[in-house]
Amino acid sequence: MTDRIRQFLETRRPEGPCLVVDLDVVRQNYQAFANCLPETRVFYAVKANPAPQILSLLAEMGSCFDTASVAEIEMALAAGATPDRISYGNTIKKERDIARAWGMGVTMFAFDSIEELEKIARSAPGSRVYCRILFDCEGAEWPLSRKFGCAPEMAVDLMEQARRLGLKPYGISFHVGSQQRDVTTYDRALSIVGSIFRTLSERGIELSMVNMGGGFPTRYLRDIPAVQAYGDAIETALRRHFGNNLPETIIEPGRGMVGNAGVLQSEVILISRKSTTEGELRWVYLDIGKFGGLAETMDEAIRYPIRTPHDGDSTEPCILAGPTCDSADVLYEKTPYPLPVSLEIGDKVLFEATGAYTTTYSAVAFNGFAPLQSFYI
Amino acid sequence: MTDRIRQFLETRRPEGPCLVVDLDVVRQNYQAFANCLPETRVFYAVKANPAPQILSLLAEMGSCFDTASVAEIEMALAAGATPDRISYGNTIKKERDIARAWGMGVTMFAFDSIEELEKIARSAPGSRVYCRILFDCEGAEWPLSRKFGCAPEMAVDLMEQARRLGLKPYGISFHVGSQQRDVTTYDRALSIVGSIFRTLSERGIELSMVNMGGGFPTRYLRDIPAVQAYGDAIETALRRHFGNNLPETIIEPGRGMVGNAGVLQSEVILISRKSTTEGELRWVYLDIGKFGGLAETMDEAIRYPIRTPHDGDSTEPCILAGPTCDSADVLYEKTPYPLPVSLEIGDKVLFEATGAYTTTYSAVAFNGFAPLQSFYI
């Protein structure tokens, strides 16, 4: 929560649930990444929050952009980024979308399979390609599935095929898992990448780049390491596994860039109990839920800090739910959330650290409720 | 799949993932409910699919509407329903939304707490209210959480309070759980409701209506009972628990009304393997996933029938995933889906029984992908 957001909410008094993002915080976050990883280029993961105001600010500050689709490439270009600052980072692309990206001047593509490589070779000939490897994400609050990446041995083979197909074998990418708080993970990952570089070098292919992905955390209820700790750990690991022959490096912060810049305001619609049985918890129903933007409460994965007008009063555990007629639209039930006993219907509650993965996750109109509105100040 | 949908897809060849709904099937479904439950009024659950074409057709056929929000009330009115055919069935309503509904002529409201009752008494004075009770949904493929409803003893108490507040204690509602295939469930539920009716009658309150909610299934991969089986079970249970003094009855089919009317067309973007290890499954990536409309694959809850151009060829188990750069965007992984070994990149695959809970669940623009487009023919 920042003074600017507080003031905006007090003076503008927006109707309905909304997200307010303080662009000053985004600016500070970009600066922190740039300062703590001075040799690494920042590719902002557009999917975290593609608001034009955020993209323009970052483009102006010199950021590059990691994009998931042609629409995101267009947004990055519209924000002022040149095509050489854009990576098409999705390993799953329609061939006609590869062609469209290439037509717009994009020449850096992710892949993790021979099938994708063949599409890129046909529709974006001569491009730089980087291969995403599978990496187990121990220590991450949201370990990733095996959806992206291939086995490291396969990456070596694919890079040789890339050359054969007339592409530029450019680098290797990995992802340490979302909300990764263990900075030593980078050492494990870079050790694997270093060995891929060496194997390929023996076969006459000199890779240039390591894409260390995203996973940089936002502070929710638990403390997180400072960006400097990531910078130091990465620097040390790079030295250990690449010696003096350091590769170009890239990071793709999304949540780490915008998460803590946003505050989501919601209204308490109803507070009730299901029976008069002793120990029956209170249910607190809000005007936003899983389908209005808080999709990351799925499996109660992310537990947002919540502010109420009664903070400081004594609390009791509550079950927190959204406004739709959908039984799955419950935010916190397995682990109830402590909220003030004095909380009332009509009160505004604030979800902090909601700048990432909220506006775009929101459903078009589930139950007739409008998508999450947002303000960038 | 119907001939009309097949023909539409062949001649119109829409670009990008899309849903096609055959309104003839919706018409047949409405007729089946009307025929098999001749004494019961049908309130279509608008949230399942609020397309104006569906609402207009049902309004014309005489259907009533169960709505979750003011926006859905407005849609039902726009489709030609009069306010007396609209129920505001969400137990979680902002008081100003209750006032708006009342202003539009709606006089039937759901509730499950004293707090909600007080809002209705203030903002929709004199309205008919029905109390939703908690009911355990054994036998349902998607048992509901405890989000909606109160204990039956509490319902009795609340109905007395409703009268004191100047409201009309109108009825009791329950929900047997989504995709309920055990028709005997209605007997258990109606037994509880019958006893609430009798207790209140002893206290001088004569309730009029039983709202038996939704939960009527759509056929996915497993067979489901015919609508007639539900009609018979409900009829028998009503006789057993209410004798000759039958209450008005209501049902709220959503999935059961439109689920089997829709077919979703998607394209195979990529088919690949993660390594050359023996037994490594194929990953099949489509241009639609959890965030583009197939949200009900959450926890692999609903397993849609999938048609491909190669049906009949030998199959192998595949992991099925969506197109976004989100590791959670995987449809079937715990239980892989058997798909033809001859399936190729670029093939169109059809998800059957996707008329309900797809278009409105889709995200506004996650990863830059447009929301699910839909056609009503």
Side-chain angles (χ1 to χ4, degrees):
Chain A
M1 175 56 98
T2 69
D3 287 343
R4 297 180 68 226
I5 293 177
R6 189 174 296 116
Q7 208 157 20
F8 177 89
L9 289 171
E10 274 166 18
T11 55
R12 285 283 295 270
R13 310 181 70 78
E15 165 66 24
C18 70
L19 173 72
V20 187
V21 172
D22 186 338
L23 293 170
D24 283 354
V25 179
V26 179
R27 187 178 289 114
Q28 289 155 20
N29 289 339
Y30 180 82
Q31 215 53 66
F33 283 116
N35 293 342
C36 299
L37 288 150
E39 305 300 326
T40 295
R41 279 200 302 167
V42 175
F43 279 66
Y44 171 60
V46 175
K47 61 181 181 289
N49 190 327
Q53 297 90 335
I54 291 175
L55 301 185
S56 299
L57 168 67
L58 291 174
E60 208 175 285
M61 293 184 80
S63 185
C64 300
F65 297 91
D66 164 49
T67 61
S69 63
V70 167
E72 286 193 355
I73 292 170
E74 288 167 343
M75 291 179 218
L77 291 171
T82 45
D84 58 302
R85 284 161 64 190
I86 295 173
S87 160
Y88 198 164
N90 196 338
T91 53
I92 309 152
K93 300 175 286 296
K94 289 185 180 170
E95 188 163 336
R96 54 193 183 276
D97 286 343
I98 296 171
R100 287 166 71 196
W102 199 63
M104 290 187 277
V106 174
T107 59
M108 182 157 83
F109 297 87
F111 75 97
D112 64 5
S113 65
I114 179 63
E115 293 80 3
E116 191 73 10
L117 213 42
E118 286 167 349
K119 290 190 239 169
I120 300 169
R122 276 192 300 265
S123 294
S127 288
R128 292 166 296 160
V129 291
Y130 62 92
C131 185
R132 178 150 167 186
I133 56 166
L134 276 170
F135 177 68
D136 84 82
C137 311
E138 236 173 80
E141 290 192 11
W142 263 24
L144 307 181
S145 72
R146 284 165 53 89
K147 181 174 176 188
F148 306 106
C150 63
E153 314 80 68
M154 195 181 221
V156 169
D157 183 46
L158 290 173
M159 276 304 182
E160 291 192 285
Q161 307 222 40
R163 182 172 58 178
R164 241 171 272 140
L165 289 164
L167 296 163
K168 293 203 188 74
Y170 185 51
I172 298 293
S173 79
F174 60 85
H175 199 294
V176 293
S178 191
Q179 195 68 6
Q180 176 58 264
R181 297 183 305 142
D182 178 3
V183 299
T184 66
T185 314
Y186 291 92
D187 187 74
R188 272 201 304 129
L190 287 169
S191 149
I192 299 168
V193 176
S195 118
I196 296 174
F197 267 61
R198 284 189 299 278
T199 308
L200 280 166
S201 175
E202 287 157 16
R203 303 188 192 177
I205 294 178
E206 301 296 336
L207 297 182
S208 316
M209 185 274 283
V210 181
N211 179 341
M212 299 180 287
F216 301 95
T218 278
R219 189 185 188 286
Y220 297 108
L221 291 174
R222 298 161 68 183
D223 275 334
I224 56 167
V227 177
Q228 188 62 58
Y230 289 85
D232 293 346
I234 287 170
E235 169 79 17
T236 307
L238 282 168
R239 292 271 165 218
R240 180 173 308 145
H241 301 293
F242 291 88
N244 286 325
N245 197 10
L246 289 186
E248 286 175 45
T249 48
I250 279 177
I251 53 170
E252 298 172 333
R255 187 187 307 280
M257 185 74 84
V258 296
N260 68 339
V263 170
L264 193 156
Q265 179 175 264
S266 174
E267 179 181 329
V268 177
I269 304 184
L270 178 66
I271 303 177
S272 64
R273 284 189 163 85
K274 300 281 157 195
S275 78
T276 53
T277 311
E278 181 132 9
E280 180 83 43
L281 294 188
R282 288 204 303 176
W283 282 70
V284 174
Y285 299 93
L286 303 174
D287 66 357
I288 192 166
K290 268 204 168 72
F291 303 105
L294 297 177
E296 292 205 314
T297 56
M298 197 163 27
D299 300 327
E300 311 195 7
I302 285 190
R303 217 165 156 79
Y304 294 103
I306 299 176
R307 300 279 156 256
T308 78
H310 308 283
D311 287 351
D313 289 5
S314 64
T315 64
E316 60 177 353
C318 297
I319 301 171
L320 211 57
T324 65
C325 283
D326 192 307
S327 170
D329 186 13
V330 176
L331 305 178
Y332 303 118
E333 181 176 17
K334 276 176 267 169
T335 312
Y337 205 103
L339 290 170
V341 290
S342 47
L343 191 69
E344 283 178 9
I345 293 172
D347 278 342
K348 295 287 199 301
V349 299
L350 301 173
F351 287 76
E352 293 185 331
T354 42
Y357 300 110
T358 48
T359 50
T360 53
Y361 262 130
S362 91
V364 279
F366 192 52
N367 278 225
F369 295 114
L372 181 61
Q373 54 182 330
S374 55
F375 303 95
Y376 300 86
I377 62 173
Chain B
M1 176 54 98
T2 68
D3 286 344
R4 297 180 68 228
I5 293 177
R6 189 175 294 115
Q7 209 157 20
F8 177 89
L9 288 172
E10 274 166 18
T11 56
R12 284 284 294 271
R13 311 182 70 77
E15 164 66 24
C18 70
L19 174 72
V20 187
V21 172
D22 186 339
L23 293 169
D24 283 354
V25 179
V26 179
R27 186 179 289 112
Q28 289 154 19
N29 289 339
Y30 180 83
Q31 215 53 67
F33 283 116
N35 293 344
C36 300
L37 288 151
E39 306 299 326
T40 295
R41 278 199 302 167
V42 175
F43 280 66
Y44 171 60
V46 175
K47 62 181 180 288
N49 190 329
Q53 297 90 335
I54 292 176
L55 301 186
S56 300
L57 167 68
L58 291 173
E60 208 175 286
M61 294 185 80
S63 184
C64 301
F65 297 91
D66 165 49
T67 60
S69 64
V70 167
E72 285 193 355
I73 293 172
E74 288 166 343
M75 292 179 217
L77 291 171
T82 45
D84 58 301
R85 283 161 64 190
I86 295 172
S87 160
Y88 198 165
N90 196 337
T91 54
I92 309 153
K93 299 175 286 298
K94 288 184 182 171
E95 187 163 337
R96 53 191 183 278
D97 286 342
I98 296 171
R100 286 166 70 195
W102 200 63
M104 289 187 277
V106 173
T107 60
M108 182 156 86
F109 296 88
F111 76 98
D112 64 5
S113 65
I114 179 63
E115 293 80 3
E116 191 74 8
L117 213 43
E118 286 168 349
K119 289 190 239 169
I120 300 170
R122 278 192 300 265
S123 295
S127 289
R128 292 167 297 161
V129 291
Y130 62 91
C131 185
R132 176 148 169 189
I133 57 167
L134 277 170
F135 178 69
D136 85 82
C137 311
E138 235 173 82
E141 289 192 14
W142 263 24
L144 307 180
S145 72
R146 284 165 52 89
K147 182 175 176 186
F148 306 106
C150 64
E153 316 79 69
M154 196 182 222
V156 170
D157 183 46
L158 289 173
M159 276 304 184
E160 291 192 285
Q161 305 222 39
R163 182 172 58 178
R164 242 171 270 140
L165 289 165
L167 295 164
K168 293 204 187 75
Y170 185 53
I172 298 293
S173 80
F174 61 85
H175 199 293
V176 294
S178 191
Q179 194 69 3
Q180 176 58 265
R181 296 184 305 142
D182 177 3
V183 300
T184 67
T185 313
Y186 290 93
D187 187 75
R188 273 200 304 129
L190 288 168
S191 149
I192 298 167
V193 176
S195 119
I196 296 174
F197 267 61
R198 284 188 298 279
T199 307
L200 280 166
S201 175
E202 286 158 15
R203 302 189 192 176
I205 294 178
E206 301 296 337
L207 296 182
S208 316
M209 183 274 282
V210 181
N211 179 341
M212 300 180 285
F216 300 96
T218 279
R219 189 183 188 287
Y220 296 107
L221 290 175
R222 296 161 69 182
D223 275 333
I224 56 167
V227 178
Q228 189 61 56
Y230 288 86
D232 294 345
I234 287 171
E235 169 78 20
T236 308
L238 281 168
R239 292 270 166 221
R240 179 174 308 145
H241 301 295
F242 290 88
N244 287 326
N245 197 10
L246 289 187
E248 286 175 45
T249 47
I250 279 177
I251 52 169
E252 297 172 334
R255 186 187 307 278
M257 186 74 85
V258 296
N260 67 340
V263 170
L264 193 155
Q265 178 175 265
S266 173
E267 179 181 330
V268 177
I269 304 183
L270 178 65
I271 303 178
S272 65
R273 285 189 162 87
K274 299 284 159 192
S275 77
T276 53
T277 311
E278 182 133 10
E280 180 83 42
L281 295 186
R282 287 205 305 175
W283 281 69
V284 174
Y285 300 92
L286 303 173
D287 67 356
I288 191 166
K290 267 204 167 73
F291 303 104
L294 298 176
E296 292 205 313
T297 56
M298 197 165 24
D299 300 327
E300 310 195 7
I302 286 189
R303 217 167 157 79
Y304 294 103
I306 300 175
R307 301 278 156 258
T308 78
H310 309 282
D311 288 350
D313 289 5
S314 65
T315 65
E316 62 177 351
C318 298
I319 301 172
L320 211 56
T324 65
C325 282
D326 193 307
S327 167
D329 186 13
V330 176
L331 305 177
Y332 304 117
E333 182 176 17
K334 276 176 268 170
T335 311
Y337 204 106
L339 289 171
V341 289
S342 47
L343 191 69
E344 282 178 10
I345 293 173
D347 278 342
K348 295 288 200 299
V349 299
L350 301 173
F351 287 78
E352 293 185 332
T354 41
Y357 299 110
T358 47
T359 50
T360 54
Y361 263 129
S362 90
V364 280
F366 192 52
N367 277 225
F369 294 114
L372 182 60
Q373 53 181 333
S374 54
F375 303 95
Y376 300 85
I377 62 172

